[in-house]
């Protein structure tokens, strides 16, 4: 039995209390398997919040569905289970704030600016921009999620800057200031590269499928550093 089937069997058929049922199922069904629990918690956070984001925006495009599948390359025989969980989140009476608050409690080892919750935000940004741009309602949704996740404004702007397709500010991407000297910027860059290395993602329970987003993130960090380095050399 897949972990999707275990989770959904524990939830039951009701949609009215889906949020509390999902969170409690993650806590109990996978209690003796912390690695799977982390993976399931992360996956559920992306599925549930992307469903809520689609509901808030009012439109679910084919490209957003494709972006979702890029993150979760689940087996075809599990498609119905994943779809059921997605629909439970959309139908649940609880608002996205409640989902974000409850799902963030599953990350028991994190404080403010939690890297696992940053991974969740990155995944949501990836889905939101799939149709070519991030709409105002989607950005407001994501900003509020960041606040619930206790992300600082600076950290949120850094995450958002990675997903801007044009006019990207390399200083925001790295979370540094134009007034910082280059050695400081270089140290910051190397710290981010280490923090977001694929091995680090695996250790904090991020599914291997999420490496699509990880590669995108690393490309943004590398491009930002290269742009600043070129600018400083030309000065």
């Amino acid at each position: 039995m897949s972990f999707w089937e275990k989770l959904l069997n524990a939830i039951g058929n009701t949609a009215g209390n889906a949020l509390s049922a999902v969170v409690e199922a993650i806590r109990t069904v996978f209690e003796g398997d912390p690695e799977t629990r982390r993976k399931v918690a992360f996956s559920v956070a992306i599925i549930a919040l992307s469903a809520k984001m689609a509901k808030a925006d009012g439109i679910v495009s084919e490209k957003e569905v494709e972006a979702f599948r890029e993150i979760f390359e689940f087996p075809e025989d599990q498609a119905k289970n994943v779809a059921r969980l997605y629909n439970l989140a959309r139908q649940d009476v609880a608002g996205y704030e409640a989902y974000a608050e409850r799902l963030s409690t599953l990350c028991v080892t994190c404080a403010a600016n939690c890297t696992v919750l940053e991974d969740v935000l990155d995944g949501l940004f990836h889905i939101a921009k799939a149709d070519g741009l991030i709409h105002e309602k989607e950005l407001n949704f994501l900003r509020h999620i960041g606040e619930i996740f206790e992300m600082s404004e600076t950290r949120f702007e850094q995450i958002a800057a990675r997903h801007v397709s044009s006019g990207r500010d390399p200083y925001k991407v790295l979370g540094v200031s134009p007034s910082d000297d280059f050695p400081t910027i270089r140290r910051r860059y190397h710290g981010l590269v280490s923090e977001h290395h694929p091995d680090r993602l695996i250790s904090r329970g991020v599914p291997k499928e999420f490496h699509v987003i990880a590669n995108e993130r690393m490309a943004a960090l590398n491009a930002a550093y290269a742009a600043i380095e070129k600018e400083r050399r030309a000065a």
Side-chain angles (χ1 to χ4, degrees), residues 72-89:
F72 292 104
E73 297 177 0
F74 44 82
E76 283 299 324
D77 63 354
Q78 296 304 312
K80 288 184 178 180
N81 289 323
V82 174
R84 182 182 164 198
L85 186 57
Y86 185 91
N87 287 328
L88 277 176

Side-chain angles (χ1 to χ4, degrees), residues 1-157:
M1 182 181 293
S2 73
F3 66 72
W4 296 112
E5 292 169 315
K6 289 180 181 178
L7 179 63
L8 287 165
N9 284 344
I11 293 171
N13 295 319
T14 180
N17 64 344
L19 170 59
S20 58
V22 168
V23 173
E24 188 57 32
I26 293 171
R27 292 189 193 282
T28 57
V29 174
F30 306 103
E31 185 177 10
D33 187 353
E35 183 177 347
T36 301
R37 176 181 163 176
R38 286 196 302 269
K39 179 176 181 179
V40 173
F42 178 88
S43 301
V44 167
I46 292 285
I47 293 169
L49 291 175
S50 63
K52 291 295 186 181
M53 182 168 65
K55 189 174 181 179
D57 183 47
I59 301 172
V60 181
S61 71
E62 284 298 319
K63 289 184 178 179
E64 286 176 333
V65 175
E66 289 173 11
F68 183 84
R69 289 300 300 264
E70 285 176 1
I71 300 174
F72 292 104
E73 297 177 0
F74 44 82
E76 283 299 324
D77 63 354
Q78 296 304 312
K80 288 184 178 180
N81 289 323
V82 174
R84 182 182 164 198
L85 186 57
Y86 185 91
N87 287 328
L88 277 176
R90 290 184 66 190
Q91 296 166 16
D92 195 357
V93 295
Y96 74 86
E97 297 92 344
Y99 261 75
E101 288 168 3
R102 291 295 300 276
L103 290 169
S104 68
T105 67
L106 293 171
C107 189
V108 295
T109 61
C110 292
N113 294 325
C114 169
T115 52
V116 175
L117 297 180
E118 180 175 342
D119 293 334
V120 172
L121 269 175
D122 255 334
L124 294 174
F125 265 107
H126 180 77
I127 295 169
K129 71 181 182 183
D131 58 358
L133 73 160
I134 299 173
H135 300 279
E136 184 177 355
K137 287 183 179 179
E138 290 172 325
L139 184 59
N140 290 338
F141 175 95
L142 293 165
R143 189 179 299 279
H144 196 189
I145 293 294
E147 292 170 357
I148 294 170
F149 284 175
E150 298 186 9
M151 292 282 172
S152 67
E153 181 66 19
T154 300
R155 190 65 171 246
F156 179 84
E157 292 298 335

